[in-house]
Amino acid sequence: MSADTNTAVPALSRGAVADIWPAQADGQLRVNRRTEGRLCSMSATEIDLALHTPPSRAFPSALIGLPGGADGRSRCAGIEITDHYTTDDGRARITGRFAGRIHDVVSSQWLLPDFDPTTMAYRLPVDPAVMRTWQAAKIYEPVLLDRVAGCPRCGCVPTFRSGCGRCRSGRTDPIKLIHHYACAHVGSVKEYEAEGSLICPKCRTRDPMVGTDYEYLTTHRCRDCGWEESQLASVGHCLACDERFAGNAAQQIVLVGYRRCVDRLDPLAHVTES
Amino acid sequence: MLTDWIHWLTSLSLETHFWLLSLLLLADVVRYALSYTLMAVYDAARAFTRRIRPNRRTLNRPYIPSVCVIMSGHNEESGVVATLASVWGSYPNLKIIVVDDGSTDQTAARTAQFTADRNADVRLLRKPARGGKASSYNFAMRYADADIVITIDCDSTLAPGAIYRIVQPFRDPRVGVVSGNVEVRRPMTNTLTWMQAHEYLLGISVGRRLSSLLGTMVVASGAFAAFRREAVNRVGGWDVGPGEDSDITLRLRKAGHRIMFAPRATCLTDVPTTWGRFFRQRCRWNRSQVRELSRKHLDLAYPTTHFFRWTNLLMMVDVWVFQVLRLYAILLYLGWVIIHPTPHTWSTLVYVYLMYILVSAYGGLLILGYCDNRRKHLRVCAACVLIPFYHFVRRLICAFSMTGEVLFRRSYHDAFYPRRVRAATWRW
């Protein structure tokens, strides 16, 4: 391979050492079957590598890491294997083109979970099991993004509202009560309403003044179970599984994103002018 | 000096002895020592009769009415969880209502946390501003749908089985109120709590047995008392205090209900640990007693009223003669001794003090005779040496507060209730 035209990218000389992680079609890396090879040739679309040890089994795709990234990091790209062959001198070689699932994944600097409104859950663009293999290969590292409340049953993101602390229903009505200072009677406004004015049902005081003679207290009555309490509870409702639960019973979901900790290998940067 | 004193003592005639100890003999010995002794003999005879001829019909019939516990507290975050823990699960199908009376601390949050942690059937009611205990109880009564309602202070904890024991007297449909046995939670904190523990044991654990037997109970302590819900609703619930516990007890008495004491339904409560707090607490209690018994419910003693009963009159006589008159008599006696000093004044005072210790020690024996845990209470009973001094201080406070209430109605200025409630409430 001749010298690169793009001077910003360090030249990849023929014979540069390459790390090769065999991968499955779904993008899962076979970390324990990592091997090394040497760069034979590379174009904008294809790469040819000579392997130090022949693979025990053919693999459909691979992640390759080549030297020359910033701060001594390697540069990685994904390839789909197009050919396995053995040269005349008995060395195993592979040819692949820069495409496929591996190539798509490694092209992203960040892999972030997206909220899916149909399932009401956060999903990573890559299967978490696959990401664990990428993390083991030290291609991506996890980054804590946020902590969100989740349904205790299915883990989806629930909705929250004020509701009945007993049956978790949101159908509650406020009830206004009067606390008459003079006799300490506490009753609903209806109990006090008589003969067109307010009369205390206990001490028969007529037309008390709010503030000086009485104060209002408020409670909330549930339409579904009849439970009455002065403060509504925080109630979670999962729209995915229809579970209702106390607000403090929600499970905590840790949202983790992945940041690529190697550079991306851009084959176009190494294409010669000719 | 000791020999002089003994010589002086032995030289006194029987008549002089009587005059020197007249108050002690006529009041403390007759009203307390003698009556308690008669009660102890009666109880022993009854226990013996029950042992040889047990009432199987009563023993085999469990009485488990529905119960709702009401707790009201203002800034009680330090004690509310312990109280809830002692109450919750101690009785079948128990309902608990906690009223947060305008707290500015974590009382409501801790109650809610307790409810969530234990999945307990606790209803939390919150008042936006402090309104006093009476309105809190009335607020809670709206939601109490049980036969028996029990009030417990947030700084108290119940002994195991206390709720079951306190509801047993309600087998009798005439019973409207049952007072629990209130003891001091940490009696050995300091000398003051030690002496108060002795007072609680003798005055409540033993004393209320007698007043319950005679039907002359004045108060069912708000710290732990049980009420028949229907009866409370019929008299209109609690009135503004201080002293709302004695007020509702007397109103239920007027309504014809019996007031009982459940000696084995034990509740442990915190008592003042400083003399300042003790002074304020006792002033509040004494003022409310004057207000209730000399003004609001004085008609209990009127023979012409439809609710007149001889036990009511006996109760009033007991309070006025053995508490109020005796109090002022003791102060007059002491004043006379100080104004007319003799060479034997100190000898007389020492003699009287020693006799009071003797009576207190006898009270300690009665306590030990009635209590279940003698080892625990033996240390408390040892306070009998200081009890005469304690009662003297208590009576000074009592005289000060009662006189203030009679002359100035100071109970209406007590910060136990918020200003807006005090300003609006009825004056008796």
Side-chain angles (χ1 to χ4, degrees):
Chain A
M1 185 175 278
S2 58
D4 283 339
T5 50
N6 188 346
T7 52
V9 180
L12 278 171
S13 59
R14 184 188 171 89
V17 177
D19 290 318
I20 300 153
W21 288 272
Q24 293 175 350
D26 62 353
Q28 195 162 337
L29 300 181
R30 310 301 297 268
V31 181
N32 55 350
R33 287 172 61 191
R34 175 184 161 275
T35 185
E36 284 189 352
R38 287 191 180 278
L39 177 66
C40 297
S41 64
M42 188 172 76
S43 69
T45 55
E46 281 193 343
I47 189 166
D48 190 16
L49 295 159
L51 305 182
H52 288 178
T53 51
S56 58
R57 243 184 348 202
F59 43 88
S61 56
L63 175 75
I64 57 166
L66 289 162
D71 302 330
R73 289 183 298 192
S74 59
R75 290 180 284 175
C76 290
I79 57 170
E80 281 183 340
I81 308 295
T82 52
D83 195 11
H84 282 89
Y85 62 97
T86 308
T87 56
D88 295 341
D89 55 355
R91 300 184 73 172
R93 290 179 69 158
I94 55 170
T95 304
R97 57 191 174 87
F98 297 109
R101 177 75 176 144
I102 302 289
H103 191 66
D104 293 343
V105 171
V106 82
S107 298
S108 306
Q109 173 70 35
W110 285 91
L111 293 173
L112 300 174
D114 287 327
F115 181 70
D116 180 3
T118 55
T119 60
M120 297 297 288
Y122 281 96
R123 296 271 181 267
L124 271 172
V126 181
D127 187 352
V130 172
M131 277 319 295
R132 279 195 287 276
T133 63
W134 287 77
Q135 190 184 336
K138 296 184 178 169
I139 308 299
Y140 278 95
E141 61 182 5
V143 177
L144 176 67
L145 297 176
D146 203 354
R147 287 189 170 87
V148 294
C151 170
R153 191 158 80 176
C154 67
C156 292
V157 178
T159 58
F160 287 92
R161 80 286 311 274
S162 296
C164 173
R166 170 168 275 196
C167 72
R168 322 285 188 216
S169 168
R171 289 160 26 91
T172 58
D173 295 320
I175 308 280
K176 224 172 181 180
L177 304 173
I178 287 178
H179 162 212
H180 187 214
Y181 296 152
C183 66
H185 183 70
V186 177
S188 67
V189 175
K190 277 185 184 172
E191 288 175 43
Y192 278 82
E193 285 172 348
E195 302 165 20
S197 59
L198 286 180
I199 298 174
C200 175
K202 180 176 171 181
C203 64
R204 309 306 299 170
T205 301
R206 215 182 171 88
D207 293 327
M209 299 277 287
V210 67
T212 50
D213 293 325
Y214 71 90
E215 67 179 351
Y216 285 111
L217 304 174
T218 308
T219 59
H220 301 269
R221 181 180 291 156
C222 176
R223 285 190 188 185
D224 292 334
C225 71
W227 181 253
E228 204 171 316
E229 207 155 15
S230 49
Q231 265 198 326
L232 292 174
S234 169
V235 174
H237 180 207
C238 178
L239 298 179
C241 69
D242 206 29
E243 172 82 347
R244 282 178 184 265
F245 51 92
N248 57 2
Q251 64 162 300
Q252 196 183 63
I253 298 174
V254 179
L255 286 185
V256 174
Y258 287 88
R259 180 174 56 202
R260 197 179 62 211
C261 48
V262 295
D263 287 345
R264 175 174 166 265
L265 175 65
D266 182 8
L268 285 172
H270 301 282
V271 175
T272 56
E273 266 185 351
S274 60
Chain B
M1 188 184 278
L2 185 63
T3 48
D4 289 347
W5 183 76
I6 293 169
H7 181 72
W8 168 80
L9 198 62
T10 49
S11 68
L12 296 177
S13 65
L14 193 64
E15 192 182 347
T16 316
H17 276 293
F18 178 78
W19 281 115
L20 289 178
L21 302 174
S22 55
L23 274 175
L24 178 74
L25 292 171
L26 290 174
D28 293 74
V29 171
V30 172
R31 166 65 181 84
Y32 298 104
L34 191 64
S35 59
Y36 288 175
T37 307
L38 289 174
M39 176 184 68
V41 171
Y42 173 76
D43 283 344
R46 202 169 54 167
F48 179 72
T49 313
R50 276 185 186 166
R51 184 168 289 180
I52 59 172
R53 198 191 305 164
N55 188 346
R56 295 192 184 279
R57 201 177 61 179
T58 309
L59 288 174
N60 294 337
R61 191 184 57 182
Y63 179 67
I64 306 176
S66 56
V67 172
C68 177
V69 169
I70 297 174
M71 293 163 52
S72 165
H74 171 73
N75 290 346
E76 295 279 3
E77 64 175 9
S78 57
V80 68
V81 172
T83 310
L84 278 170
S86 74
V87 172
W88 182 71
S90 65
Y91 189 83
N93 298 322
L94 185 67
K95 290 173 182 170
I96 304 171
I97 299 174
V98 178
V99 184
D100 175 20
D101 193 12
S103 296
T104 52
D105 64 356
Q106 296 294 309
T107 304
R110 294 201 177 175
T111 305
Q113 188 64 44
F114 179 90
T115 309
D117 290 348
R118 316 255 179 127
N119 198 20
D121 189 3
V122 179
R123 190 196 295 260
L124 174 64
L125 301 173
R126 295 194 73 176
K127 287 160 71 184
R130 188 163 75 98
K133 196 163 262 187
S135 60
S136 298
Y137 285 159
N138 289 336
F139 189 16
M141 281 298 283
R142 285 181 56 81
Y143 309 101
D145 52 359
D147 297 335
I148 308 298
V149 171
I150 295 177
T151 59
I152 300 173
D153 279 354
C154 285
D155 60 353
S156 308
T157 46
L158 297 188
I163 292 181
Y164 176 77
R165 286 169 182 153
I166 202 171
V167 300
Q168 294 312 303
F170 287 104
R171 283 173 194 269
D172 182 350
R174 293 169 297 174
V175 174
V177 189
V178 177
S179 170
N181 182 12
V182 182
E183 292 181 10
V184 176
R185 182 149 56 181
R186 299 181 191 90
M188 306 312 284
T189 305
N190 58 31
T191 313
L192 180 60
T193 57
W194 187 33
M195 293 185 292
Q196 286 178 87
H198 187 284
E199 183 200 7
Y200 274 57
L201 282 175
L202 193 61
I204 298 177
S205 302
V206 179
R208 283 195 188 164
R209 286 174 193 260
L210 180 66
S211 47
S212 175
L213 198 66
L214 297 175
T216 58
M217 268 184 60
V218 181
V219 57
S221 306
F224 185 37
F227 300 85
R228 198 179 289 281
R229 182 178 64 96
E230 190 189 340
V232 172
N233 284 338
R234 204 177 297 143
V235 297
W238 281 262
D239 278 0
V240 176
E244 60 285 319
D245 47 0
S246 61
D247 173 66
I248 195 158
T249 308
L250 294 173
R251 285 196 288 131
L252 286 167
R253 177 181 273 282
K254 277 183 184 174
H257 292 282
R258 291 182 64 186
I259 322 296
M260 299 291 286
F261 175 60
R264 297 190 67 208
T266 308
C267 165
L268 303 172
T269 192
D270 285 340
V271 290
T273 52
T274 61
W275 284 101
R277 286 181 187 166
F278 176 74
F279 175 78
R280 284 191 291 277
Q281 186 201 51
R282 293 306 164 110
C283 280
R284 189 169 68 240
W285 287 4
N286 294 322
R287 285 171 189 152
S288 60
Q289 193 176 23
V290 171
R291 183 166 77 171
E292 307 301 340
L293 292 173
S294 73
R295 298 202 291 265
K296 191 173 180 182
H297 299 296
L298 187 62
D299 51 0
L300 276 166
Y302 294 171
T304 52
T305 54
H306 68 277
F307 46 79
F308 176 79
R309 278 180 291 162
W310 288 106
T311 51
N312 291 349
L313 185 62
L314 186 62
M315 176 193 76
M316 297 295 268
V317 168
D318 179 40
V319 170
W320 284 106
V321 173
F322 289 103
Q323 291 186 29
V324 181
L325 284 180
R326 184 180 62 146
L327 166 74
Y328 287 105
I330 288 171
L331 294 178
L332 283 174
Y333 175 81
L334 278 170
W336 180 80
V337 167
I338 292 165
I339 292 167
H340 299 94
T342 64
H344 303 298
T345 298
W346 283 108
S347 301
T348 308
L349 290 176
V350 169
Y351 175 48
V352 172
Y353 192 90
L354 286 175
M355 288 298 110
Y356 268 106
I357 288 178
L358 204 65
V359 173
S360 302
Y362 183 68
L365 286 177
L366 284 169
I367 291 169
L368 294 175
Y370 272 112
C371 70
D372 294 330
N373 191 343
R374 290 195 176 83
R375 183 176 291 182
K376 180 185 159 194
H377 291 133
L378 191 61
R379 292 176 75 189
V380 175
C381 291
C384 64
V385 181
L386 294 172
I387 286 299
F389 163 74
Y390 168 76
H391 281 308
F392 177 66
V393 175
R394 193 173 63 80
R395 278 171 188 144
L396 282 179
I397 297 170
C398 192
F400 169 78
S401 51
M402 279 186 170
T403 310
E405 177 62 22
V406 169
L407 297 177
F408 308 111
R409 303 198 174 191
R410 296 292 300 273
S411 64
Y412 295 106
H413 304 282
D414 197 311
F416 191 68
Y417 273 80
R419 190 186 294 270
R420 66 185 196 289
V421 174
R422 292 194 318 250
T425 193
W426 308 119
R427 306 267 166 155
W428 293 92

